[in-house]
Each structure stands twice: as structure tokens, then as C-alpha cells.
Amino acid sequence: MRLSNESILVILFVGLVAGWLAGKIVRGTGFGIIGDIVVGIAGALIASFLFPKLGIHLGTGLVSEIIYSAIGAIVLLLVVRLIRGGGRF
């Protein structure tokens, strides 16, 4: 798989927006700007794996990718909070 410079910038932008959005929704578990990008990208990977398996399709385009990534990042933040916080939501 070959990524162009534009693809990398789009992935970073979507990861940043999704990580920031997830950090705002799941308060208290933000990891800073770099951590939010990493969580957003990991959330995108989780969502791209789980959503097709569950039969969930939100559409195409940048906005749907941000929504997918944000949902994945929220799930990831909740799991991290569950593990790190001793089971409290």
C-alpha cells in the first residue's frame, strides 16, 4: 500500500479532528494534541474494521470518515478509561 503526501495529511487531519472530538465527548481522558491524533487514527482503524462487520454504513466522504473515526476513538477512550481508571466510567 502506497500513501501519497496528501493521503498522509488527510489521515492526520481526520485523526486530529476525531481525537479532539472524542476527547471532548469523553471528558477527562484527553492525551494532548499528539495523543489525540494517535487515538483518532487508532479509532479510525477500529471503526474501519468493526463497522463493515456490523453492517453499518454512514456514507462516503471526509465527514463520514471523521464520524467513523470519532466513534472508534470514543470507544477506544472508553476502553482505556475502563482499564486505567479501575472500571469507572
Side-chain angles (χ1 to χ4, degrees):
M1 184 167 114
R2 185 180 175 296
L3 293 176
S4 67
N5 290 338
E6 292 84 16
S7 298
I8 293 171
L9 288 175
V10 168
I11 290 170
L12 289 176
F13 174 72
V14 168
L16 173 67
V17 172
W20 174 80
L21 187 61
K24 294 297 180 188
I25 292 173
V26 182
R27 295 182 184 158
T29 56
F31 296 108
I33 191 87
I34 301 298
D36 285 346
I37 290 173
V38 171
V39 168
I41 292 171
L45 294 174
I46 290 170
S48 68
F49 175 73
L50 286 180
F51 280 8
K53 297 235 184 244
L54 296 173
I56 300 171
H57 302 286
L58 296 176
T60 61
L62 186 62
V63 174
S64 67
E65 290 299 321
I66 291 172
I67 293 170
Y68 278 140
S69 301
I71 292 171
I74 289 168
V75 169
L76 184 63
L77 282 176
L78 289 175
V79 169
V80 167
R81 178 186 271 187
L82 185 68
I83 291 171
R84 199 172 66 171
R88 296 183 330 213
F89 277 100

